[in-house]
């Protein structure tokens, strides 16, 4: 395999000499120009190359880098995928090149909205829009040359009409959101059907076949269609933000008026408490849990399977706390330290900030500048910790009703 000519320019106008060690067999560096040329070996391998540039009266400069010589690249077959809006996805693509580790770079065009691909082939995120998609995957080397490619189908359906159900309460007042024919208002909280809302995984506030929606600057009950006008997210301070408008659901001035949509301002008139529900991880099938063995002390918070009865319910409160069974999620230390449940005292270590995306959110501890995380994306019953916030890391992405 012929190698494109590469040159190293250290200092224009100076008389320099170049040397290199560790070059793959068949390559050499021109000592006067710094051009590395030759024919790459036919056997895959990795070497650490060290290049030294020197000159009379000058301090030598050295740089080391890894030179990967890849073999024929084969992209493993990618089967058709499916999912529903609001569900997390985790797909690791595989390509063989005769070397260990991540030596190739993956790109993708046409992924379903809400998903992204990492350079080593991990597709993750939260499905955000229904439809049929045909992602095209390319595998490249460091020169940008495409070495392998493939495409597949990804079918995204509407979110199921299920989820946490109960009152949507005004914070600090005994009033609840209530359906009133084609609109929504507030009433004293009671066990009536019109106050029971289901929060689906795509963020809809649903009663039967009708969903709370925005349109023309108002809030209406519309037939559930899965549109972005019917999708809401819990954001900072207990606000319910509509994804289409970016505005917030606001309390009416009186119990005889309808709820409205208004610019988000963090005021008390825009603070809501939703029904408790699972704290789902960006790792499919896994949830945060404060469950503990009977007889053992409460406190540790772990990642557990969402479907095995140990995924406890959580509520994001407008005061910045994240609560489960009357206790608050609290930090215990710096990076990689575990998080625990503790009596709610209003301490700084109990505060969490929601940094929201289209579906998932990062839960940031303002006192530490770190995120609630599953270390190393283990997808196992492991303790949750404070980790560094990375937008592309599914282990720091969460969805809470």
């Amino acid at each position: 395999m012929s190698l494109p000519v590469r040159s190293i320019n250290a200092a224009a106008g100076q008389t320099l000499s170049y040397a290199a060690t560790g070059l793959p067999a068949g390559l050499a560096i021109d000592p006067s120009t710094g051009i590395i040329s030759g024919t790459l070996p036919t056997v895959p391998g990795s070497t650490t190359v060290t290049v030294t540039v020197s000159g009379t009266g000058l301090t030598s400069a050295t740089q080391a880098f890894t030179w990967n010589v890849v073999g024929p690249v084969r992209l493993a077959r990618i089967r058709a995928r499916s999912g529903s809006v609001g569900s997390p996805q985790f797909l690791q693509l595989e390509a063989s090149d005769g070397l260990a580790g991540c030596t190739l770079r993956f790109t993708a065009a046409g992924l379903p909205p809400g998903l992204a691909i990492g350079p080593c082939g991990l597709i993750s995120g939260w499905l955000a829009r229904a439809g049929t998609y045909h992602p095209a995957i390319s595998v490249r080397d460091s020169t940008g040359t495409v070495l392998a490619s493939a495409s597949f189908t990804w079918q995204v359906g509407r979110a199921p009409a299920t989820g946490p159900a109960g009152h949507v309460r005004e914070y600090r007042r005994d009033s609840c959101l209530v359906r009133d024919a084609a609109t929504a208002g507030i009433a004293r909280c009671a066990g009536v059907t019109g106050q029971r809302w289901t929060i689906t995984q795509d963020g809809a506030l649903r009663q039967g076949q009708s969903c709370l929606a925005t349109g023309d600057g108002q809030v209406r009950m519309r037939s559930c269609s899965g549109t972005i006008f019917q999708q809401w997210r819990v954001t900072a301070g207990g606000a319910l933000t509509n994804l289409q408008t970016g505005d917030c659901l606001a309390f009416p001035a009186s119990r005889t008026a309808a709820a409205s949509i208004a610019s988000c301002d963090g005021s008390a008139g825009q603070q809501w408490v939703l029904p408790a529900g699972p704290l789902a991880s960006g790792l499919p099938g896994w949830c945060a849990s404060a469950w503990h063995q009977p007889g053992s002390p409460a406190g540790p918070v772990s990642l557990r399977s969402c479907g095995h009865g140990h995924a406890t319910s959580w509520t994001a409160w407008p005061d910045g706390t994240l609560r489960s069974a009357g206790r608050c999620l609290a930090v215990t230390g710096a990076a990689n330290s575990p998080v625990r449940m503790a009596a709610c005292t209003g301490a700084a270590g109990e505060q969490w900030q929601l940094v929201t995306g289209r579906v998932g959110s990062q839960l940031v501890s303002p006192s530490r500048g770190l995120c609630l995380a599953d270390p190393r994306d283990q997808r196992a019953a492991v303790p949750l910790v404070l980790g560094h916030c990375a937008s592309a890391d599914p282990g720091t992405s969460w969805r809470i009703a």
Side-chain angles (χ1 to χ4, degrees):
M1 177 177 180
S2 296
L3 178 71
V5 172
R6 298 181 181 275
S7 64
I8 299 173
N9 186 2
Q14 296 286 340
T15 301
L16 303 173
S17 61
Y18 301 83
T21 61
L23 286 171
L27 304 186
I29 188 169
D30 188 303
S32 61
T33 65
I35 294 175
I36 298 173
S37 60
T39 301
L40 290 171
T42 59
V43 178
S46 295
T47 62
T48 299
V49 178
T50 302
V51 175
T52 301
V53 184
S54 59
T56 303
L58 299 176
T59 302
S60 298
T62 300
Q63 183 174 347
F65 58 93
T66 300
W67 197 310
N68 295 313
V69 179
V70 302
V73 175
R74 296 179 178 83
L75 182 60
R77 179 187 177 190
I78 311 170
R79 298 182 181 277
R81 304 279 295 183
S82 63
S84 57
V85 174
S87 64
Q89 303 295 305
F90 189 97
L91 173 61
Q92 179 63 63
L93 304 181
E94 302 289 346
S96 60
D97 62 359
L99 300 178
C102 176
T103 56
L104 301 170
R105 291 295 176 264
F106 291 75
T107 59
L111 285 172
L115 303 188
I117 189 169
C120 294
L122 175 61
I123 297 175
S124 62
W126 305 78
L127 294 173
R129 186 184 304 158
T132 301
Y133 302 90
H134 302 282
I137 307 299
S138 297
V139 183
R140 306 169 189 264
D141 61 17
S142 61
T143 69
T145 301
V146 176
L147 304 177
S149 61
S151 62
F152 63 104
T153 300
W154 205 315
Q155 186 71 43
V156 182
R158 288 171 54 181
T162 57
H167 290 106
V168 176
R169 297 178 178 270
E170 289 185 84
Y171 185 51
R172 301 188 187 282
R173 294 200 290 177
D174 187 28
S175 295
C176 289
L177 188 68
V178 60
R179 178 178 179 176
D180 184 11
T183 63
I186 57 169
R188 185 175 297 279
C189 296
V192 297
T193 302
Q195 293 184 9
R196 184 174 177 82
W197 299 85
T198 297
I199 316 299
T200 60
Q201 69 182 23
D202 63 344
L205 276 67
R206 184 177 186 126
Q207 288 195 15
Q209 299 303 310
S210 297
C211 289
L212 192 69
T214 62
D216 300 324
Q218 300 183 2
V219 178
R220 301 284 186 188
M221 297 300 299
R222 305 285 191 191
S223 177
C224 294
S225 60
T227 69
I228 196 171
F229 293 93
Q230 298 175 359
Q231 294 178 343
W232 304 81
R233 293 289 175 267
V234 179
T235 54
L240 274 174
T241 304
N242 183 263
L243 287 191
Q244 173 62 32
T245 67
D247 293 327
C248 287
L249 183 66
F251 304 165
S254 70
R255 288 182 176 173
T256 60
S260 62
I261 193 81
S263 296
C264 300
D265 58 15
S267 66
Q270 296 178 3
Q271 296 179 332
W272 304 89
V273 180
L274 270 62
L279 181 56
S281 168
L283 302 166
W286 295 92
C287 290
S289 174
W291 179 86
H292 56 95
Q293 292 280 0
S296 64
V301 178
S302 301
L303 196 71
R304 294 190 179 272
S305 171
C306 296
H308 289 176
H310 293 162
T312 53
S313 293
W314 299 79
T315 305
W317 279 60
D319 64 0
T321 58
L322 193 60
R323 305 189 181 200
S324 180
R327 297 167 70 86
C328 286
L329 182 68
V331 301
T332 62
N336 299 316
S337 62
V339 294
R340 299 180 62 83
M341 301 305 294
C344 299
T345 63
E350 296 171 3
Q351 297 295 304
W352 297 89
Q353 181 180 357
L354 291 167
V355 179
T356 55
R358 182 72 180 270
V359 178
S361 302
Q362 288 187 316
L363 293 169
V364 183
S365 168
S367 67
R368 301 295 193 273
L370 298 167
C371 283
L372 180 66
D374 165 18
R376 299 182 298 281
D377 301 343
Q378 294 181 76
R379 291 183 288 173
V382 295
L384 295 177
V385 302
L386 280 178
H388 295 287
C389 303
S391 59
D393 181 4
T396 64
S397 183
W398 306 89
R399 187 192 70 237
I400 185 167

